[in-house]
Amino acid sequence: ADAVPLKDCLAFSKDYMALFKLRYENINMNIHGFEYGDNECVLSLSLQVLIENAVKHNAPGPAETLRIDIDREGDRLVVSNNILRSPATGRSPAEAHGIGLENLKKRYRMKFDRAIDIVETRDCFKVYIPIIKVNHEKGIDY
């Protein structure tokens, strides 16, 4: 399925984060208490890609904590994380956006004709992904 209910996606994200916490004790993920309907979905695996990117590009050292937040703004889900800069270069690992985000952009465009937005500040990396409403009788409602 291309569109996965938000409820299932958020539950899976918690389990996925538990796996990362086996390797990195200093990662915190906060799913804010926002409301969503049974008919609201996101592209399959989109949250997993964003969580994986946050960890991969910001692997925290022993004195650092990576914070990942999942929230809702209107008809979009927002996944944000603090940016941990490399002490050697002072650069953000998030500056190398890589294949995961490009692939996610293309999949949202191809499947739903929607765009994701990426906002990066000095301290924070945010990705806004569209929430897709599904009409169970007609299929996906664009």
Side-chain angles (χ1 to χ4, degrees), residues 6 34-36 40 71-78 131:
L6 270 176
F34 53 87
E35 293 184 12
Y36 49 86
E40 293 184 313
D71 209 342
R72 179 177 187 154
E73 287 186 18
D75 62 352
R76 301 187 300 174
L77 213 54
V78 185
I131 294 172

Side-chain angles (χ1 to χ4, degrees), residues 45-101:
L45 299 176
S46 55
L47 285 184
Q48 288 69 35
V49 167
L50 297 175
I51 291 167
E52 181 178 19
N53 271 358
V55 174
K56 180 173 74 173
H57 293 300
N58 294 282
E64 302 172 307
T65 299
L66 176 62
R67 293 180 315 279
I68 300 171
D69 289 289
I70 301 175
D71 209 342
R72 179 177 187 154
E73 287 186 18
D75 62 352
R76 301 187 300 174
L77 213 54
V78 185
V79 180
S80 61
N81 63 272
N82 58 318
I83 295 175
L84 303 177
R85 299 186 180 277
S86 164
T89 65
R91 290 186 48 181
S92 155
E95 288 170 337
H97 291 164
I99 296 169
L101 276 178

Side-chain angles (χ1 to χ4, degrees), residues 23-142:
R23 181 170 179 192
Y24 302 102
E25 293 178 13
N26 44 351
I27 297 177
N28 294 323
M29 184 176 74
N30 185 18
I31 299 175
H32 296 268
F34 53 87
E35 293 184 12
Y36 49 86
D38 290 339
N39 67 329
E40 293 184 313
C41 301
V42 291
L43 182 68
S44 65
L45 299 176
S46 55
L47 285 184
Q48 288 69 35
V49 167
L50 297 175
I51 291 167
E52 181 178 19
N53 271 358
V55 174
K56 180 173 74 173
H57 293 300
N58 294 282
E64 302 172 307
T65 299
L66 176 62
R67 293 180 315 279
I68 300 171
D69 289 289
I70 301 175
D71 209 342
R72 179 177 187 154
E73 287 186 18
D75 62 352
R76 301 187 300 174
L77 213 54
V78 185
V79 180
S80 61
N81 63 272
N82 58 318
I83 295 175
L84 303 177
R85 299 186 180 277
S86 164
T89 65
R91 290 186 48 181
S92 155
E95 288 170 337
H97 291 164
I99 296 169
L101 276 178
E102 284 305 314
N103 191 4
L104 190 60
K105 281 182 186 179
K106 288 176 184 173
R107 287 178 58 218
Y108 253 105
R109 177 65 64 205
M110 185 174 66
K111 300 287 184 185
F112 306 117
D113 196 27
R114 302 274 180 88
I116 67 172
D117 292 315
I118 299 168
V119 176
E120 183 176 356
T121 66
R122 175 160 171 71
D123 301 317
C124 185
F125 191 77
K126 288 186 181 186
V127 180
Y128 296 81
I129 58 174
I131 294 172
I132 308 301
K133 293 193 187 260
V134 174
N135 180 322
H136 295 292
E137 294 175 14
K138 297 180 182 177
I140 293 173
D141 182 8
Y142 297 99

